[in-house]
Amino acid sequence: MRGMSNNPHGPRRQRLLETMAPGALILPSAPVAVRNNDVEHEYRQNSDLFYVSGFDEPESLAVLRPGADAPYCLFVRPRDPAREVWDGQRAGVDGAKTDYGADQAFSYADLATELPKLLEDQPRVYYQLGVDAALDRCVLDAIAKVRNRAKFGVVWPTEIVEPGTLLHTERLVKDAHELDRMRHAISISTEAHVAAMAAAQPGRFEYEVEAVINGVFRRRGSERSAYGAIVGSGPNATVLHYRRNDRKMKDGELLLIDAGCEYGYYASDITRTFPVNGRFSEPQRRIYEVVLNAQLASIEATRPGKTLADVHDASVRVITEGLVKLGLIEGPVDRAIKENLYRPFYMHKTSHYIGMDVHDVGPYFEGKQPRPLSEGVVITIEPGIYIAEDAEVPEEFRGIGVRIEDDVLVTSDGHEVLSAEVPKSVADVERACAA
Ligand code: GLY
Ligand code: MN
Ligand code: MN
């Protein structure tokens, strides 16, 4: 694990500058999303830009150039007292240097005139095309301007390289600073899930439980949810990305909660499923235990050298065995796996990377082969069984949806379940519901 630092951004830039092949790395800010008229959606910085800069204002852009006189250049919104009355203080051009360590800083309005100068004598540009058409135009125009000076001996960028090739393998492996933040985000989400188990009751609405969750997030200093919370009762638990959260919960139903907060730009992503009235019915418990055993098998399969395909296959086997045993699909198990008979009930993958983004960056494949897990990677493990209300199965199982999701760190010799404190066994869940 890499060293801990209070300000991790400078060392990250340094490492990038020391290891990247010559060129100019261009990292733009996230766009401002207008909600309606002059009201904007909450702003969140682009994760790549934040990772190297810690700068969270919109209309900004970083350029990193190894070996240049000014290797780290920031474009930012200039100070503007009239605007700052409305939106709060900006770092400004001077603050970009004094507070954020830029060697050189400009107003974002000067990007079109300054960028060509920064691309002179750079053999390549690391820039993600296809996200922002106006910025693509600006970068391509800047390259064309430098190319026009080739006859004067100026080197111009002849390659445009995906910046993820530099940044995303770095971001995939979490350093001590990142793990600290992830553990904190997970501890907040843990409290929220425990509070939700205590709060849910027949007759309450899903949004009342959502409010409990979001209340814990904000009360404990989380900036925001890492994604919109899913609070699905009864048949809503079988809708994978259910978001309305507006149904009245009934006695005898399950409630599936998939909710995680973000803390310091790091996500958590946790799912628990529990009985609204605090006691699993027999069919609910039987399905729940299949999912739980699948999840434990996938956790067991998580260690360096294994792949996410191995982790997924472990869940698929246990889920298929369970579905055959319960009479929901036909055996034998090996044939049922080969013919994907589990798919109508388990239609998603078991894991994704998690970090700054809930579905985090980082390569899933090396060429055509799944990439082996390595120390410092954090993944989710989230198998489920979802039985539609109209499924052709014994009636007692219809409308049952169960998912169990934890965040798991790959360690040098295995794994650590970072969200292990959230109740998960049938007994622990029932105890938390009764609290
Ligand atoms: N909460 C989104 C997911 O589980 O992937
Ligand atoms: Mn989730
Ligand atoms: Mn997830």
Tab-separated table of all heavy atoms in Angstrom, residues 185-215:
chain	number	residue	atom	x	y	z
A	185	ALA	N	-16.673	6.439	4.603
A	185	ALA	CA	-17.950	6.420	3.866
A	185	ALA	C	-18.744	5.171	4.257
A	185	ALA	O	-19.958	5.228	4.500
A	185	ALA	CB	-17.685	6.435	2.355
A	186	ILE	N	-18.052	4.037	4.358
A	186	ILE	CA	-18.724	2.774	4.678
A	186	ILE	C	-19.251	2.794	6.112
A	186	ILE	O	-20.339	2.277	6.386
A	186	ILE	CB	-17.757	1.589	4.424
A	186	ILE	CG1	-17.571	1.412	2.902
A	186	ILE	CG2	-18.270	0.310	5.065
A	186	ILE	CD1	-16.395	0.552	2.503
A	187	SER	N	-18.524	3.431	7.023
A	187	SER	CA	-19.017	3.461	8.415
A	187	SER	C	-20.286	4.306	8.498
A	187	SER	O	-21.201	3.980	9.256
A	187	SER	CB	-17.933	3.966	9.368
A	187	SER	OG	-17.912	5.377	9.400
A	188	ILE	N	-20.366	5.365	7.716
A	188	ILE	CA	-21.592	6.179	7.693
A	188	ILE	C	-22.742	5.365	7.094
A	188	ILE	O	-23.857	5.324	7.634
A	188	ILE	CB	-21.366	7.478	6.888
A	188	ILE	CG1	-20.314	8.359	7.559
A	188	ILE	CG2	-22.686	8.240	6.708
A	188	ILE	CD1	-19.879	9.562	6.737
A	189	SER	N	-22.468	4.694	5.982
A	189	SER	CA	-23.521	3.897	5.336
A	189	SER	C	-23.971	2.748	6.225
A	189	SER	O	-25.140	2.346	6.219
A	189	SER	CB	-23.028	3.357	3.987
A	189	SER	OG	-22.723	4.433	3.126
A	190	THR	N	-23.034	2.214	7.010
A	190	THR	CA	-23.388	1.148	7.955
A	190	THR	C	-24.421	1.659	8.954
A	190	THR	O	-25.459	1.009	9.184
A	190	THR	CB	-22.122	0.657	8.691
A	190	THR	OG1	-21.221	0.124	7.734
A	190	THR	CG2	-22.460	-0.400	9.735
A	191	GLU	N	-24.146	2.825	9.517
A	191	GLU	CA	-25.096	3.396	10.487
A	191	GLU	C	-26.459	3.618	9.814
A	191	GLU	O	-27.508	3.370	10.421
A	191	GLU	CB	-24.548	4.717	11.041
A	191	GLU	CG	-25.451	5.297	12.111
A	191	GLU	CD	-24.936	6.621	12.672
A	191	GLU	OE1	-23.712	6.838	12.718
A	191	GLU	OE2	-25.791	7.447	13.055
A	192	ALA	N	-26.424	4.063	8.560
A	192	ALA	CA	-27.679	4.333	7.847
A	192	ALA	C	-28.483	3.047	7.643
A	192	ALA	O	-29.711	3.022	7.828
A	192	ALA	CB	-27.386	4.997	6.504
A	193	HIS	N	-27.808	1.954	7.274
A	193	HIS	CA	-28.528	0.686	7.060
A	193	HIS	C	-29.103	0.153	8.375
A	193	HIS	O	-30.224	-0.364	8.404
A	193	HIS	CB	-27.604	-0.350	6.410
A	193	HIS	CG	-27.538	-0.221	4.915
A	193	HIS	ND1	-28.408	-0.886	4.076
A	193	HIS	CD2	-26.738	0.514	4.113
A	193	HIS	CE1	-28.122	-0.571	2.812
A	193	HIS	NE2	-27.111	0.275	2.805
A	194	VAL	N	-28.331	0.275	9.430
A	194	VAL	CA	-28.826	-0.199	10.729
A	194	VAL	C	-30.043	0.624	11.148
A	194	VAL	O	-31.055	0.075	11.623
A	194	VAL	CB	-27.691	-0.142	11.787
A	194	VAL	CG1	-28.238	-0.407	13.184
A	194	VAL	CG2	-26.598	-1.154	11.437
A	195	ALA	N	-29.964	1.946	10.940
A	195	ALA	CA	-31.098	2.817	11.286
A	195	ALA	C	-32.322	2.476	10.429
A	195	ALA	O	-33.465	2.501	10.918
A	195	ALA	CB	-30.707	4.281	11.102
A	196	ALA	N	-32.080	2.136	9.166
A	196	ALA	CA	-33.192	1.796	8.269
A	196	ALA	C	-33.883	0.509	8.733
A	196	ALA	O	-35.114	0.396	8.693
A	196	ALA	CB	-32.682	1.644	6.841
A	197	MET	N	-33.093	-0.453	9.169
A	197	MET	CA	-33.689	-1.716	9.646
A	197	MET	C	-34.597	-1.460	10.848
A	197	MET	O	-35.657	-2.073	10.986
A	197	MET	CB	-32.582	-2.717	10.024
A	197	MET	CG	-31.878	-3.306	8.801
A	197	MET	SD	-30.550	-4.443	9.258
A	197	MET	CE	-29.801	-4.728	7.654
A	198	ALA	N	-34.160	-0.546	11.713
A	198	ALA	CA	-34.973	-0.235	12.895
A	198	ALA	C	-36.209	0.582	12.516
A	198	ALA	O	-37.245	0.483	13.174
A	198	ALA	CB	-34.126	0.527	13.911
A	199	ALA	N	-36.110	1.378	11.452
A	199	ALA	CA	-37.193	2.327	11.132
A	199	ALA	C	-38.320	1.704	10.306
A	199	ALA	O	-39.472	2.147	10.392
A	199	ALA	CB	-36.615	3.523	10.365
A	200	ALA	N	-37.991	0.691	9.501
A	200	ALA	CA	-39.008	0.146	8.585
A	200	ALA	C	-40.108	-0.563	9.378
A	200	ALA	O	-39.831	-1.277	10.340
A	200	ALA	CB	-38.351	-0.829	7.617
A	201	GLN	N	-41.336	-0.343	8.949
A	201	GLN	CA	-42.498	-0.978	9.607
A	201	GLN	C	-43.628	-1.066	8.610
A	201	GLN	O	-43.750	-0.192	7.742
A	201	GLN	CB	-42.981	-0.093	10.761
A	201	GLN	CG	-42.328	-0.379	12.075
A	201	GLN	CD	-42.908	0.476	13.177
A	201	GLN	OE1	-44.067	0.881	13.098
A	201	GLN	NE2	-42.108	0.745	14.173
A	202	PRO	N	-44.487	-2.069	8.743
A	202	PRO	CA	-45.681	-2.097	7.893
A	202	PRO	C	-46.454	-0.793	8.056
A	202	PRO	O	-46.582	-0.287	9.179
A	202	PRO	CB	-46.484	-3.289	8.442
A	202	PRO	CG	-45.476	-4.146	9.145
A	202	PRO	CD	-44.434	-3.217	9.673
A	203	GLY	N	-46.933	-0.248	6.916
A	203	GLY	CA	-47.707	0.991	6.972
A	203	GLY	C	-46.875	2.233	6.719
A	203	GLY	O	-47.402	3.282	6.382
A	204	ARG	N	-45.534	2.117	6.867
A	204	ARG	CA	-44.682	3.262	6.540
A	204	ARG	C	-44.389	3.259	5.045
A	204	ARG	O	-44.473	2.238	4.378
A	204	ARG	CB	-43.365	3.197	7.312
A	204	ARG	CG	-43.548	3.469	8.783
A	204	ARG	CD	-42.320	4.152	9.391
A	204	ARG	NE	-42.666	4.615	10.734
A	204	ARG	CZ	-41.921	4.398	11.820
A	204	ARG	NH1	-40.779	3.775	11.713
A	204	ARG	NH2	-42.311	4.841	12.996
A	205	PHE	N	-44.003	4.424	4.538
A	205	PHE	CA	-43.664	4.532	3.127
A	205	PHE	C	-42.156	4.324	2.923
A	205	PHE	O	-41.358	4.626	3.825
A	205	PHE	CB	-44.076	5.897	2.582
A	205	PHE	CG	-45.551	6.026	2.332
A	205	PHE	CD1	-46.405	6.417	3.354
A	205	PHE	CD2	-46.084	5.720	1.084
A	205	PHE	CE1	-47.774	6.514	3.128
A	205	PHE	CE2	-47.450	5.816	0.854
A	205	PHE	CZ	-48.300	6.215	1.875
A	206	GLU	N	-41.847	3.848	1.721
A	206	GLU	CA	-40.426	3.641	1.399
A	206	GLU	C	-39.637	4.933	1.579
A	206	GLU	O	-38.495	4.920	2.066
A	206	GLU	CB	-40.299	3.140	-0.050
A	206	GLU	CG	-40.891	1.752	-0.271
A	206	GLU	CD	-41.154	1.426	-1.738
A	206	GLU	OE1	-41.124	2.358	-2.588
A	206	GLU	OE2	-41.419	0.248	-2.040
A	207	TYR	N	-40.245	6.071	1.200
A	207	TYR	CA	-39.488	7.327	1.302
A	207	TYR	C	-39.208	7.737	2.738
A	207	TYR	O	-38.260	8.479	2.994
A	207	TYR	CB	-40.160	8.468	0.527
A	207	TYR	CG	-41.630	8.708	0.810
A	207	TYR	CD1	-42.067	9.213	2.023
A	207	TYR	CD2	-42.587	8.442	-0.181
A	207	TYR	CE1	-43.410	9.441	2.260
A	207	TYR	CE2	-43.942	8.665	0.041
A	207	TYR	CZ	-44.344	9.167	1.270
A	207	TYR	OH	-45.672	9.390	1.518
A	208	GLU	N	-39.994	7.234	3.669
A	208	GLU	CA	-39.683	7.542	5.076
A	208	GLU	C	-38.366	6.872	5.474
A	208	GLU	O	-37.561	7.436	6.228
A	208	GLU	CB	-40.809	7.073	5.994
A	208	GLU	CG	-42.120	7.825	5.790
A	208	GLU	CD	-43.201	7.328	6.740
A	208	GLU	OE1	-43.112	7.608	7.948
A	208	GLU	OE2	-44.136	6.652	6.268
A	209	VAL	N	-38.169	5.668	4.961
A	209	VAL	CA	-36.915	4.966	5.248
A	209	VAL	C	-35.758	5.627	4.495
A	209	VAL	O	-34.650	5.791	5.025
A	209	VAL	CB	-37.039	3.466	4.876
A	209	VAL	CG1	-35.728	2.745	5.154
A	209	VAL	CG2	-38.183	2.832	5.658
A	210	GLU	N	-36.034	6.051	3.262
A	210	GLU	CA	-35.013	6.772	2.488
A	210	GLU	C	-34.572	8.025	3.258
A	210	GLU	O	-33.382	8.377	3.293
A	210	GLU	CB	-35.575	7.155	1.111
A	210	GLU	CG	-34.574	7.873	0.230
A	210	GLU	CD	-35.175	8.347	-1.098
A	210	GLU	OE1	-36.398	8.260	-1.285
A	210	GLU	OE2	-34.396	8.824	-1.949
A	211	ALA	N	-35.539	8.707	3.871
A	211	ALA	CA	-35.217	9.927	4.617
A	211	ALA	C	-34.312	9.615	5.812
A	211	ALA	O	-33.402	10.388	6.127
A	211	ALA	CB	-36.499	10.613	5.088
A	212	VAL	N	-34.567	8.480	6.460
A	212	VAL	CA	-33.709	8.077	7.585
A	212	VAL	C	-32.276	7.890	7.087
A	212	VAL	O	-31.301	8.356	7.697
A	212	VAL	CB	-34.241	6.774	8.226
A	212	VAL	CG1	-33.227	6.184	9.198
A	212	VAL	CG2	-35.581	7.030	8.920
A	213	ILE	N	-32.154	7.219	5.938
A	213	ILE	CA	-30.825	6.942	5.373
A	213	ILE	C	-30.116	8.249	5.021
A	213	ILE	O	-28.968	8.484	5.428
A	213	ILE	CB	-30.980	6.047	4.120
A	213	ILE	CG1	-31.449	4.657	4.554
A	213	ILE	CG2	-29.682	5.966	3.334
A	213	ILE	CD1	-31.978	3.821	3.406
A	214	ASN	N	-30.808	9.112	4.282
A	214	ASN	CA	-30.172	10.362	3.862
A	214	ASN	C	-29.877	11.253	5.065
A	214	ASN	O	-28.894	12.003	5.055
A	214	ASN	CB	-31.053	11.091	2.834
A	214	ASN	CG	-31.059	10.366	1.498
A	214	ASN	OD1	-30.108	9.656	1.168
A	214	ASN	ND2	-32.122	10.520	0.730
A	215	GLY	N	-30.721	11.152	6.090
A	215	GLY	CA	-30.479	11.917	7.312
A	215	GLY	C	-29.161	11.517	7.966
A	215	GLY	O	-28.377	12.368	8.386
